[in-house]
Amino acid sequence: MTYHDVPLDAIEIERRLRAYLDDLVQLAGGPVTVWRAARMAMEHLRRAADAPDNEPVTLPTTHPERIVRAVAAAHGLTADVLRGPSRTRDVSMARHHAVWELRLRRPDLPLDKIAAWLNRRDHATMVHSLKTFRKLRASGHYDEERAHVERALS
């Protein structure tokens, strides 16, 4: 399997890498570590390998803030309340939903970055949220809210 029809010189490789890294920084909303850039590149390559030859492959482009606002609206809350300190059941469940949606729609974001978008402490909190929301979804809860988010983001 070949990736390029013609050999690339060092200048062209550097130009393409810089453009790709600029896109990554823009998608991530800030600085990108080498580890994170490598992980995003691998995801891109996996999708490229699975895509038909004539179909372009793109990285996820839905901004995390847009996802957070859509989830908050689906639960009748604001994004500020979702990020706030409240631990009531309604807000906690909406927060679990936000983590799940962010992970689903932005697989390039590490869990600690998702935690930062929701003003949470660390990735362990996000793991708990993912497990909790998966159980709720499996038992048939939150289908209406999921549909609302889907409509808002499409």
Side-chain angles (χ1 to χ4, degrees):
M1 177 160 96
T2 60
Y3 291 101
H4 304 286
D5 294 334
V6 294
L8 300 174
D9 63 353
I11 294 172
E12 180 60 18
I13 291 171
E14 181 180 1
R15 186 192 69 73
R16 288 184 184 188
L17 280 173
R18 285 183 187 274
Y20 188 68
L21 287 174
D22 288 344
D23 290 344
L24 288 175
V25 169
Q26 184 179 6
L27 283 172
V32 178
T33 64
V34 171
W35 176 253
R36 186 155 172 225
R39 189 171 41 201
M40 291 174 76
M42 289 304 298
E43 284 295 319
H44 181 74
L45 290 174
R46 277 191 206 112
R47 281 195 293 276
D50 293 339
D53 291 337
N54 59 352
E55 186 177 318
V57 177
T58 59
L59 288 170
T61 57
T62 306
H63 196 276
E65 180 64 22
R66 191 165 169 232
I67 296 169
V68 170
R69 289 180 187 273
V71 171
H75 289 270
L77 304 170
T78 65
D80 291 337
V81 170
L82 198 65
R83 289 189 184 100
S86 176
R87 294 175 61 171
T88 63
R89 180 170 172 75
D90 292 346
V91 175
S92 294
M93 291 304 132
R95 206 174 285 132
H96 294 325
H97 184 186
V99 171
W100 189 82
E101 289 286 349
L102 283 164
R103 190 65 170 171
L104 175 74
R105 296 173 185 282
R106 291 297 304 269
D108 59 310
L109 291 177
L111 291 176
D112 58 339
K113 184 72 171 185
I114 292 173
W117 274 105
L118 296 170
N119 289 341
R120 301 308 353 115
R121 203 175 313 176
D122 58 24
H123 73 282
T125 309
M126 302 302 97
V127 171
H128 170 72
S129 287
L130 288 170
K131 287 179 182 178
T132 301
F133 198 76
R134 282 183 190 134
K135 287 178 188 174
L136 290 168
R137 290 270 302 141
S139 61
H141 293 88
Y142 297 102
D143 289 338
E144 187 177 318
E145 288 84 353
R146 280 275 304 117
H148 186 278
V149 171
E150 190 66 39
R151 284 190 304 273
L153 295 176
S154 48

